[in-house]
Amino acid sequence: MNELWGAIRVTISLAAVTTLSLLVIATPIGWWLSRNRSLFKDIVTAVVALPIVLPPTVLGFYLLVAMGPKSPLMDLLHPFGIRTLNFSFAGLVIGSIIYSLPFAIQPIRNAFESLGQRPFDVAATLRASPLDTFFTVALPMARKGFLTAALLVFAHTVGEFGVVLMIGGAIPGKTEVVSIRIWQLVEQLDWPNAHRLAGGLLIFAFIVLLSLLLIDRRWSQRHD
């Protein structure tokens, strides 16, 4: 039972940290993609979307190598006594951020693009600076995209398996998440507890999808 609650605690913590981190990271990227028209934009879009099409084990493998003790990236952290981020909560956060990146950027980008040019032209006539326009016009009007991104990222992180297993293993209370715990329970033929956890994730996924639909309906009714 302690291991079960430990897996739930790690999963919720991972999902919360990943969601908050991605809302910060995805905002400037989504804004830039929504306003840029260069060819480089398409290259960035393709790179950001890679986690959607890549098998989780492939992404997990390269992250395992990148955060390993012999990685050139880790050489930068050796002076601070950090030789590897594999099999650590910090490593899970990095992997989850990369794996869920498109689920944060796309809704935020779409929300910015849906604003059109008129609100920014009006702000310009009022002599608002670009920074003021972004914080007082773009962000409030794009709040639906941020809420959608938060729900998608949180749910996607809760359901992660391949990536977190590759880079985190299954250390109880440290890197073991609910999806890995279900896999372990099935291997142990502990069907009752596996059913409980799997059923919980099923209900959670349904609630997230229903919430997204209700948000979309309410938003549409406001703008009819």
Side-chain angles (χ1 to χ4, degrees):
M1 184 59 70
N2 288 337
E3 290 185 357
L4 173 60
W5 285 110
I8 293 174
R9 178 185 58 79
V10 172
T11 302
I12 294 175
S13 299
L14 178 62
V17 173
T18 300
T19 301
L20 292 175
S21 300
L22 272 178
L23 287 178
V24 174
I25 295 170
T27 298
I29 299 175
W31 173 252
W32 182 82
L33 289 174
S34 70
R35 310 293 291 177
N36 195 281
R37 296 294 179 266
S38 68
L39 176 62
F40 188 62
K41 165 190 171 181
D42 295 330
I43 297 174
V44 173
T45 300
V47 171
V48 167
L50 271 177
I52 296 177
V53 296
L54 275 178
T57 49
V58 173
L59 181 60
F61 169 73
Y62 283 114
L63 287 172
L64 189 70
V65 173
M67 295 189 292
K70 296 183 179 180
S71 167
L73 295 176
M74 287 298 100
D75 287 343
L76 302 175
L77 298 179
H78 287 177
F80 302 97
I82 302 174
R83 298 195 57 81
T84 180
L85 290 175
N86 290 326
F87 311 110
S88 68
F89 184 79
L92 287 188
V93 170
I94 294 173
S96 297
I97 287 174
I98 294 174
Y99 188 45
S100 294
L101 189 63
F103 295 91
I105 289 180
Q106 197 57 47
I108 293 175
R109 173 188 173 180
N110 291 343
F112 284 141
E113 287 180 342
S114 69
L115 300 181
Q117 185 58 37
R118 189 171 182 277
F120 304 105
D121 292 339
V122 172
T125 62
L126 297 175
R127 298 183 179 180
S129 68
L131 195 61
D132 287 336
T133 301
F134 177 74
F135 282 104
T136 61
V137 177
L139 284 184
M141 293 183 69
R143 60 186 180 276
K144 176 196 171 187
F146 285 90
L147 184 55
T148 300
L151 286 171
L152 285 175
V153 170
F154 194 92
H156 192 245
T157 305
V158 168
E160 283 182 45
F161 178 76
V163 171
V164 294
L165 181 62
M166 289 287 288
I167 63 179
I171 305 173
K174 187 177 180 182
T175 62
E176 183 186 66
V177 294
V178 170
S179 58
I180 295 176
R181 186 61 185 160
I182 293 173
W183 172 58
Q184 291 176 332
L185 290 171
V186 171
E187 280 197 324
Q188 298 165 9
L189 301 180
D190 189 351
W191 298 107
N193 283 323
H195 272 302
R196 292 189 188 97
L197 272 183
L201 286 185
L202 179 62
I203 294 171
F204 173 75
F206 174 78
I207 292 174
V208 169
L209 290 174
L210 182 61
S211 299
L212 290 173
L213 292 173
L214 292 175
I215 290 170
D216 187 64
R217 172 181 289 187
R218 185 175 181 182
W219 187 267
S220 299
Q221 290 175 345
R222 280 186 176 183
H223 294 80
D224 283 342

